Amino acid sequence: MSKYDKKVVRLERPEHCVSRSLIDADALWILRRLRREGFQAFLVGGAVRDILLGGQPKDFDIGTDARPSQIKRVFRNSRLIGRRFRIAHVYFRKKGQPDKIIEVTTFRGTGEQSDHDDLHPDDRDLTGSSFGTVEEDAWRRDFTFNALFYDLSDFSIVDYTGGLADLDDRVLRLIGEPDERFEEDPVRMLRAIEFAVRLDFEIEELTWEGIERNAALIANASSARLREEFRQMEQRGITGAVLTGTQHLGLFKYLFPELDADERLGTLVEVLDAQSRKGVKPPEHLYIAAFCLPTLTSVCPLGSNTGLEEASDAIFPLVKSVCTRYQISAHIRHEAKELLLGVYRLSKGKSYRAKGKFARRKEFGASLGMLKAWSAAAGDELAEAVAFWEQYVTEQNISTTTVTDTPERKRRPRRRSRRPRR
């Protein structure tokens, strides 16, 4: 039995490691300002979780009983965003540094809001849900370890859902009934896999079964939100492991219906993830190319017998379909297509005729790096082609970049307008 045997657990200051010295100074200023104005204010969510796990939070979110219009009145450096949920973004600008945004959210209740007539326009919740208490807000959150609250009034941590016990056991547990919560927000299924990979947690059995049962709902999720989730995974270097998890739980075929659930995909993407974890962030088109390559090789195998026109006919529609689904720009789409076509060129090895001409193109280094990664993932079937190009690069003294070091697109300088002569 867990030592947290009560429904509501409060850890006093000596019982936990969360300290004001570990909290962003601007977040502390917001907490103190709200309390000075007579409102409740708590540090919530991932910041509390990460500090308890010994990590360094990237974001510091705040929950309060102040309504959105009241938050806007208290903080002149704030702006309300969102159509369905009104959330306040408080901006901090310092010279020589990027803008910092701290999110302040009003507690939400579990009941229904029947009438908006008596509310300030900024406080109207178009979802129909009402504002609530801190405990009601905790039960509306996604996972138990994200429903922990740091109370600045007495420096304690308040747990309403069993999140402290799950942190101790390193278990990811959904709050509420899985079918209902995943129908509310299907992106929670992808986030569950992401958190489990990032924190090295085990997904609790009912949550796991709920994801398997509701996997098809992910097809109805916002493509913009899904793309943002994948971008965050790429920045953290966990995309390959998460994709492997989506294959095991049945999400992959709904996230990427155009692609095969090839087990080598995770191995190929891991090459990019390893570079990302070292601080070298791969461009997005490299990940798109890596997503598509396993499916392409099953339709149009790499090697000297593959015609480039045949390869091009397979590459272009597949990349276009994936990029259109996730609203990815035409420039990124083009870069991914050229990189994949370069892989097919290099797979011909010494039989490729335009060696010198292609070696001068900007995608040469990235294509060679991806060919090496795919050769390692698929076995040694392309080892001869890889060995030839490595020898060719050495003999010709060609400067190549790695798979992640593709040159950035150069911005054309603006032409200075000429003033007409008098």
Side-chain angles (χ1 to χ4, degrees):
M1 178 180 293
S2 169
K3 63 181 179 181
Y4 305 110
D5 54 355
K6 297 180 181 179
K7 181 178 180 181
V8 181
V9 176
R10 182 180 289 271
L11 292 185
E12 303 300 334
R13 178 63 188 91
E15 301 177 273
H16 63 80
C17 62
V18 180
S19 168
R20 284 170 291 175
S21 63
L22 302 176
I23 301 174
D24 182 85
D26 294 322
L28 284 174
W29 177 79
I30 293 175
L31 289 168
R32 292 181 177 124
R33 181 76 178 271
L34 286 169
R35 287 183 50 77
R36 196 160 56 242
E37 294 290 330
F39 300 111
Q40 289 182 305
F42 298 84
L43 185 69
V44 301
V48 181
R49 176 201 68 221
D50 290 343
I51 294 175
L52 288 173
L53 290 174
Q56 177 61 42
K58 290 186 177 180
D59 300 311
F60 293 86
D61 298 335
I62 292 171
T64 179
D65 60 349
R67 302 291 176 87
S69 61
Q70 295 171 321
I71 300 172
K72 188 176 180 181
R73 175 181 57 80
V74 173
F75 301 104
R76 296 176 60 187
N77 56 328
S78 67
R79 184 173 66 183
L80 299 183
I81 65 166
R83 294 181 180 179
R84 299 174 69 245
F85 299 101
R86 303 296 282 169
I87 297 174
H89 277 180
V90 183
Y91 292 81
F92 296 89
R93 294 180 172 88
K94 296 182 180 179
K95 187 175 181 180
Q97 299 181 8
D99 291 352
K100 181 196 300 181
I101 299 175
I102 295 180
E103 193 173 279
V104 183
T105 308
T106 305
F107 298 142
R108 298 194 178 275
T110 56
E112 295 296 323
Q113 188 169 268
S114 58
D115 191 2
H116 289 308
D117 294 340
D118 59 341
L119 292 178
H120 188 281
D122 287 336
D123 297 337
R124 294 175 182 175
D125 187 347
L126 299 182
T127 63
S129 61
S130 62
F131 298 114
T133 64
V134 59
E135 183 171 2
E136 290 175 328
D137 185 78
W139 286 101
R140 284 183 59 91
R141 293 182 176 269
D142 50 6
F143 307 110
T144 56
F145 54 49
N146 285 339
L148 301 174
F149 295 78
Y150 175 73
D151 189 349
L152 193 64
S153 64
D154 58 3
F155 314 118
S156 64
I157 293 177
V158 187
D159 174 20
Y160 297 96
T161 64
L164 289 169
D166 289 337
L167 278 184
D168 281 354
D169 298 333
R170 303 192 72 82
V171 171
L172 182 144
R173 189 187 310 275
L174 183 73
I175 296 175
E177 203 280 320
D179 293 341
E180 178 182 347
R181 300 310 305 278
F182 290 145
E183 185 177 4
E184 287 177 359
D185 185 5
V187 179
R188 286 177 180 145
M189 294 185 285
L190 182 62
R191 286 172 56 83
I193 301 172
E194 180 187 353
F195 277 126
V197 170
R198 176 153 61 100
L199 303 176
D200 193 22
F201 273 40
E202 181 180 350
I203 300 178
E204 177 263 339
E205 183 178 359
L206 292 179
T207 304
W208 180 286
E209 293 173 352
I211 295 174
E212 290 182 319
R213 193 166 53 247
N214 294 278
L217 294 177
I218 199 73
N220 303 325
S222 164
S223 59
R225 285 189 62 197
L226 290 174
R227 183 188 177 189
E228 181 59 29
E229 291 294 329
F230 279 110
R231 291 298 291 155
Q232 293 180 13
M233 297 175 205
E234 292 164 11
Q235 292 172 4
R236 295 187 173 101
I238 60 173
T239 308
V242 172
L243 286 178
T244 301
T246 61
Q247 292 172 352
H248 292 162
L249 285 162
L251 290 177
F252 186 85
K253 61 183 177 181
Y254 299 106
L255 288 167
F256 300 101
E258 308 88 352
L259 305 182
D260 297 335
D262 194 307
E263 61 182 11
R264 296 170 294 181
L265 173 60
T267 306
L268 181 61
V269 176
E270 174 59 29
V271 176
L272 301 176
D273 288 338
Q275 294 294 324
S276 183
R277 292 192 293 269
K278 293 178 182 178
V280 182
K281 304 301 181 184
E284 190 173 8
H285 73 269
L286 282 174
Y287 276 98
I288 296 169
F291 292 173
C292 295
L293 185 57
T295 301
L296 288 170
T297 57
S298 64
V299 176
C300 185
L302 291 168
S304 58
N305 295 327
T306 302
L308 292 181
E309 290 186 5
E310 180 186 355
S312 178
D313 291 341
I315 292 170
F316 284 22
L318 183 61
V319 173
K320 180 180 179 181
S321 179
V322 172
C323 292
T324 301
R325 176 178 300 277
Y326 289 102
Q327 303 173 9
I328 298 173
S329 70
H331 169 68
I332 295 176
R333 183 189 315 170
H334 173 76
E335 295 287 334
K337 291 175 182 177
E338 292 299 317
L339 193 153
L340 286 169
L341 194 56
V343 173
Y344 275 87
R345 287 190 175 104
L346 295 177
S347 70
K348 293 179 174 295
K350 63 182 179 181
S351 63
Y352 182 61
R353 296 181 179 179
K355 301 179 183 64
K357 182 178 179 180
F358 181 61
R360 291 191 295 270
R361 298 186 61 167
K362 66 176 184 178
E363 66 268 18
F364 174 77
S367 297
L368 180 56
M370 187 156 289
L371 179 67
K372 291 179 183 178
W374 178 250
S375 177
D380 294 331
E381 58 189 42
L382 296 170
E384 185 178 347
V386 171
F388 167 78
W389 284 108
E390 288 180 334
Q391 182 179 358
Y392 180 83
V393 166
T394 303
E395 291 177 350
Q396 301 296 323
N397 195 23
I398 298 173
S399 176
T400 62
T401 55
T402 65
V403 69
T404 57
D405 294 334
T406 53
E408 297 183 357
R409 186 186 185 188
K410 294 182 179 179
R411 186 180 297 275
R412 180 181 298 177
R414 295 178 61 184
R415 178 179 295 179
R416 181 177 179 182
S417 60
R418 294 183 178 180
R419 298 178 63 182
R421 294 182 179 181
R422 292 185 178 178

